Amino acid sequence: MSALLLLVLSAAEPGPVRVASKAFTESVIVGELVTDVLQRRGLSAEHLRGLGGTRVVWDALVRGDVDVYPEYTGTLSEEIFAGRVRPDALGPALAAAGIELGPPLGFEDGYALGMREDVADRLGIRRISDLRAHAGLRFGFSNEFVDRADGWRALQKAYGLPQSQVNGLDHELAYRGLRAGALDVVDLYSTDPEIQAERLRVLEDDRHHFPEYRAVLLVRADLERRVPGARAALEALRDRIDAPAMIALNARARLDRVPEVTVAGDFLRSRLGEATATPGPAPPGPARRILGRLGEHLTLVGVSLGLSLLVAIPLGVLAARRRRVGQAVLAAVGVVQTIPSLALLVLMIPLLGIGTKPAIAALFLYGLLPIVRNTHAGLVGIAPDLRESADALGLPPLFRLLRVELPLASPSILAGVKTSAVIAVGTATLGALVGAGGFGQPILTGIRLADTGLLLEGALPAAALALGVEAAFDGLEWVVVPRGLRIRPEEPR
Amino acid sequence: MGDPSAQSRTPAASAAGPVLVLREVSRSFGGVPAVRPLSIEIPRGRTTVLLGESGSGKSTLLRLMAGLLAADSGEVLLEGAPVTPASGPALRRRMGFGLQSGGLFPHLTAADNVTLLAQALGRPRSWRARRLEELAALVRLEPGVLARWPLELSGGQRQRVSLMRALMLVPAVVLLDEPLGALDPVTRGELQQELLRVFRSLGTTAVLVTHDLDEAAVLGDRVALMREGALVQVGPLEELAAHPADPRVARFLAGWRGGPAR
């Protein structure tokens, strides 16, 4: 089965340079810069915006689904190599994985602790070690920082900090808590534009606890061979973005809500003197955008649902025929259903890479349970006198299945397919996390940019599509379910 | 089988040994015996009525004959061939079966219900149409009814269609489980006469389950009286009434309204 799946999914696209970025603004801006620089040199490049977290994008690079993405040296040493590789030995370690440590971009974006300027002044805090004297301060850290090897636990140990009141929460919410006075100290990224906008004080890391987070491009070693000129083009960005420049770029995108692609294009033109050689295609209007995403979304749902049908109906028939096998099959597809969709998607990446394949595979697996269960229930639920009639007639087994049992079970089966389809429309929005496109794309970007309009541009059509699919299946019932089953026996003659 | 002209055989012509032979057949459900070891032969061209109160084992016995249930012991032979659920559908096609509910498939029209097995066996469309017409005339079903869905039919129409389905491929024996049990008394009386006429005209070998003495009297050439899973007495009803095997038979038959002239 999985072989069939691979076969269907492996309609591989020929390769432009595939640039990726992680799911936060700075990474996306750098991704746009890289893409733009390549395109200005006449190279074909596409940008997988905000593809996912570190693990997803790194795996995609190693697998060859992605050619280049921006990373930070601290993340490489602490997270990807989990402290096994010293920061100055990253180059050889990467080379072993077929990855080149590409040009550094010129800025650092390390972890730091920050406080409101006025509060810090009042308490006389300038350095992290000053925090020791104020055990009652309330700390709010991003969840990742709480969990990381170089995060809160290590920091607490390095500085001997006495604070016990530490909350893990979303990075954006931490800023809000700080503003409202509910939190006193948060973790920051040193290029966060909020540092200036919110008048925050970045506390000096006087014991040099945090590693360096220099921004670099990671490039697949085989890129130059496949796309000559690409590697050289990337050099245009070497050391060209200093920290104030990156903070300004982040501020335009996050505080002024300017699209990253525009932020990047303006920067290249004004700061790097790049000619406006390629005006580039005008961004599509909202109708075209939504239509394009609808196509992507329907492809995800349609292909996965079709595969689910092909597998789930025979499984349901098998489950109804053999009681013991049936219990096992139902249990197995039930277990698949309990895997969180996000985890299932990420699990698919090592097997199928990124893009539509892992999304379709995950949606296919999710689609199985409702159809298997309802096929089984529909067949098992056939009235005993009808079952006996079919037995007594002596119909050949396949004929009996196709002409008697499946038609009698069709209302139940169709209800299962409908459930699967509606679930798939919703779950497919998560496909954007692995680069599958669809209505999840604007939702993710909207969340990242706290842009409600963009979020709704994905959420509303997705909701409408779910309702549309439901209505379509109600209509389909008139086609699929035999007329004789739709008669209400209200008027016995 | 399958030759429609076979229906024109007279009872006398085909009276040559029993169609079904049951030898020491028994069946229990969860340790509770439903049919105790019993033997009976179903003679050709006649109607045998399995008569008894609810729970006497008559429906179980009918399903053992049809090969819908496996016997715990003993054997069922259809014209010499052993009948069990494992003997496969081919043998069951030689028996027509009917239920109280009619057992018609609600997703097929009445006509398709009747011809379903013939379709499965690849009988030509023209053959099926001709046979359908013959049978509709035989059971006196208005032709328009055949295009309807089972849920649109009256109880009596449903039984006529069910009978057509049972007779479609000219079975060696017709097995009917309380076929008229769900009908109102008037329709029931009508259909008793219809069944009698159809069976007589075709020389059908039939086994019919009922708990109704009058029905047994009208339809049964022979009555097999059952009680607690055992055969108590077998013979023409008049004979049973005249010479009851025990006082309980006598009491049971005393409830017969149209009782025999003593």
Side-chain angles (χ1 to χ4, degrees):
Chain A
M1 178 52 227
S2 53
L4 172 75
L5 197 66
L6 282 169
L7 199 72
V8 173
L9 295 174
S10 62
E13 315 84 317
V17 180
R18 301 189 75 174
V19 181
S21 49
K22 294 203 258 181
F24 58 90
T25 306
E26 182 170 288
S27 190
V28 174
I29 293 174
V30 175
E32 295 290 2
L33 286 170
V34 171
T35 310
D36 204 339
V37 158
L38 290 166
Q39 286 171 346
R40 279 162 198 265
R41 280 156 185 74
L43 298 165
S44 163
E46 63 173 338
H47 183 194
L48 301 160
R49 279 175 198 82
L51 179 60
T54 300
R55 190 44 66 178
V56 168
V57 184
W58 167 255
D59 285 348
L61 182 73
V62 171
R63 276 181 49 91
D65 291 327
V66 159
D67 296 313
V68 53
Y69 86 91
E71 189 49 281
Y72 303 92
T73 52
T75 307
L76 282 167
S77 60
E78 302 300 321
E79 196 176 341
I80 293 175
F81 294 120
R84 284 177 278 108
V85 175
R86 294 207 348 234
D88 54 3
L90 285 174
L94 287 167
I99 308 297
E100 185 199 346
L101 189 62
L105 298 168
F107 68 93
E108 254 194 69
D109 182 7
Y111 273 112
L113 297 191
M115 300 180 68
R116 262 163 54 176
E117 189 87 52
D118 54 342
V119 177
D121 269 343
R122 186 155 42 78
L123 301 175
I125 297 172
R126 305 207 67 80
R127 303 167 304 172
I128 294 179
S129 19
D130 295 338
L131 293 172
R132 269 181 304 197
H134 304 277
L137 290 175
R138 294 155 299 172
F139 287 8
F141 295 142
S142 56
N143 290 309
E144 199 182 344
F145 184 73
V146 174
D147 294 337
R148 281 173 77 116
D150 58 342
W152 164 242
R153 294 280 159 227
L155 182 79
Q156 188 177 29
K157 221 165 118 192
Y159 280 93
L161 297 175
Q163 286 81 4
S164 56
Q165 201 184 345
V166 172
N167 296 309
L169 71 172
D170 182 80
H171 193 56
E172 294 291 328
L173 292 179
Y175 279 121
R176 251 182 254 179
L178 201 61
R179 200 180 310 144
L183 293 171
D184 300 311
V185 180
V186 299
D187 62 317
L188 325 154
Y189 302 118
S190 54
T191 53
D192 281 349
E194 288 86 351
I195 292 172
Q196 288 171 318
E198 308 253 345
R199 298 177 159 279
L200 303 184
R201 171 169 299 166
V202 177
L203 304 184
E204 187 194 332
D205 182 14
D206 49 331
R207 293 197 175 171
H208 304 288
H209 166 71
F210 291 118
E212 264 194 332
Y213 279 82
R214 276 188 303 123
V216 294
L217 293 181
L218 296 186
V219 189
R220 278 191 64 83
D222 59 4
L223 174 62
E224 183 61 20
R225 186 170 47 73
R226 285 185 294 113
V227 188
R231 178 63 189 82
L234 296 177
E235 284 300 317
L237 291 171
R238 179 181 287 272
D239 288 330
R240 295 308 295 270
I241 314 165
D242 57 15
M246 193 67 237
I247 291 170
L249 291 176
N250 283 335
R252 272 199 87 193
R254 259 172 52 188
L255 305 180
D256 304 340
R257 303 275 167 85
V258 179
E260 291 99 342
V261 65
T262 312
V263 171
D266 290 352
F267 179 79
L268 286 180
R269 221 175 10 260
S270 62
R271 298 287 294 272
L272 298 192
E274 294 268 346
T276 48
T278 49
R288 289 287 297 275
R289 278 203 305 269
I290 291 175
L291 220 60
R293 289 182 197 126
L294 177 66
E296 291 168 347
H297 212 90
L298 282 179
T299 305
L300 291 178
V301 173
V303 174
S304 60
L305 192 64
L307 291 170
S308 295
L309 276 174
L310 284 179
V311 175
I313 290 181
L315 276 182
V317 171
L318 180 72
R321 285 286 149 86
R322 310 267 155 135
R323 241 171 59 94
R324 198 151 316 157
V325 178
Q327 297 301 327
V329 165
L330 287 172
V333 292
V335 165
V336 170
Q337 203 78 3
T338 63
I339 304 175
S341 35
L342 205 55
L344 189 61
L345 273 172
V346 173
L347 283 175
M348 287 295 155
I349 292 178
L351 300 172
L352 295 168
I354 55 168
T356 52
K357 293 179 212 172
I360 285 174
L363 291 175
F364 154 73
L365 288 173
Y366 273 119
L368 290 178
L369 178 65
I371 305 178
V372 172
R373 197 176 46 200
N374 278 37
T375 304
H376 173 262
L379 291 174
V380 169
I382 292 175
D385 63 327
L386 298 185
R387 194 184 302 283
E388 192 163 57
S389 276
D391 279 340
L393 268 181
L395 294 171
L398 186 63
F399 185 92
R400 170 187 167 138
L401 177 69
L402 296 179
R403 291 291 305 278
V404 176
E405 292 173 324
L406 287 179
L408 286 173
S410 61
S412 172
I413 296 174
L414 192 67
V417 176
K418 179 163 100 176
T419 304
S420 279
V422 172
I423 289 176
V425 168
T427 311
T429 56
L430 290 175
L433 288 168
V434 294
F439 289 126
Q441 195 66 60
I443 294 179
L444 285 187
T445 313
I447 291 172
R448 180 158 53 72
L449 298 177
D451 182 339
T452 311
L454 196 54
L455 198 147
L456 291 179
E457 195 179 306
L460 290 181
L465 184 61
L467 291 175
V469 163
E470 192 152 10
F473 271 95
D474 289 342
L476 201 59
E477 195 170 330
W478 289 86
V479 180
V480 173
V481 175
R483 225 187 95 204
L485 294 183
R486 284 184 263 114
I487 295 168
R488 304 271 168 272
E490 77 247 289
E491 31 166 2
R493 300 190 210 189
Chain B
M1 63 166 236
D3 175 7
S5 68
Q7 65 179 269
S8 61
R9 283 183 304 194
T10 61
S14 56
V19 177
L20 276 169
V21 175
L22 280 71
R23 288 199 194 114
E24 293 300 311
V25 173
S26 72
R27 170 72 198 214
S28 59
F29 294 105
V32 181
V35 170
R36 299 171 196 278
L38 61 79
S39 301
I40 186 173
E41 295 187 350
I42 304 302
R44 193 174 298 273
R46 306 180 66 191
T47 299
T48 304
V49 169
L50 302 182
L51 179 65
E53 292 158 359
S54 304
S56 60
K58 52 197 192 304
S59 285
T60 303
L61 184 59
L62 190 79
R63 280 163 179 73
L64 288 165
M65 292 178 183
L68 294 172
L69 281 175
D72 294 337
S73 69
E75 60 179 356
V76 179
L77 300 171
L78 174 69
E79 294 178 332
V83 178
T84 68
S87 58
L91 209 54
R92 259 172 270 149
R93 288 173 204 151
R94 295 174 54 199
M95 299 185 265
F97 191 79
L99 288 163
Q100 179 173 330
S101 69
L104 298 179
F105 301 122
H107 65 294
L108 299 173
T109 60
D112 279 338
N113 263 285
V114 174
T115 60
L116 188 66
L117 179 59
Q119 288 178 44
L121 299 179
R123 297 294 166 87
R125 180 183 291 272
S126 56
W127 184 91
R128 299 197 309 254
R130 203 170 56 240
R131 181 79 183 130
L132 199 60
E133 213 172 299
E134 277 171 22
L135 289 169
L138 182 72
V139 305
R140 298 188 182 163
L141 194 72
E142 313 90 87
V145 174
L146 285 171
R148 292 198 198 143
W149 306 97
L151 290 174
E152 295 172 332
L153 303 180
S154 70
Q157 287 169 333
R158 230 170 269 168
Q159 279 306 326
R160 285 171 208 261
V161 173
S162 177
L163 182 64
M164 284 171 70
R165 178 167 74 175
L167 294 172
M168 179 72 186
L169 294 182
V170 195
V173 58
V174 174
L175 307 170
L176 303 174
D177 188 11
E178 305 248 16
L180 312 180
L183 303 178
D184 62 86
V186 175
T187 316
R188 184 172 184 142
E190 255 174 55
L191 269 167
Q192 283 173 1
Q193 294 307 317
E194 292 286 331
L195 280 178
L196 190 64
R197 186 180 52 74
V198 168
F199 290 167
R200 288 273 155 79
S201 71
L202 298 181
T204 307
T205 307
V207 181
L208 187 144
V209 166
T210 186
H211 58 262
D212 185 289
L213 265 168
D214 294 314
E215 194 159 300
V218 173
L219 291 169
D221 296 314
R222 226 164 56 110
V223 170
L225 188 62
M226 292 190 71
R227 185 196 301 152
E228 289 161 10
L231 278 176
V232 183
Q233 201 171 356
V234 181
L237 193 58
E238 292 78 8
E239 197 180 301
L240 267 58
H243 309 285
D246 60 34
R248 286 181 65 185
V249 174
R251 271 203 303 282
F252 183 71
L253 296 182
W256 178 22
R257 278 176 281 128
R262 294 222 172 201

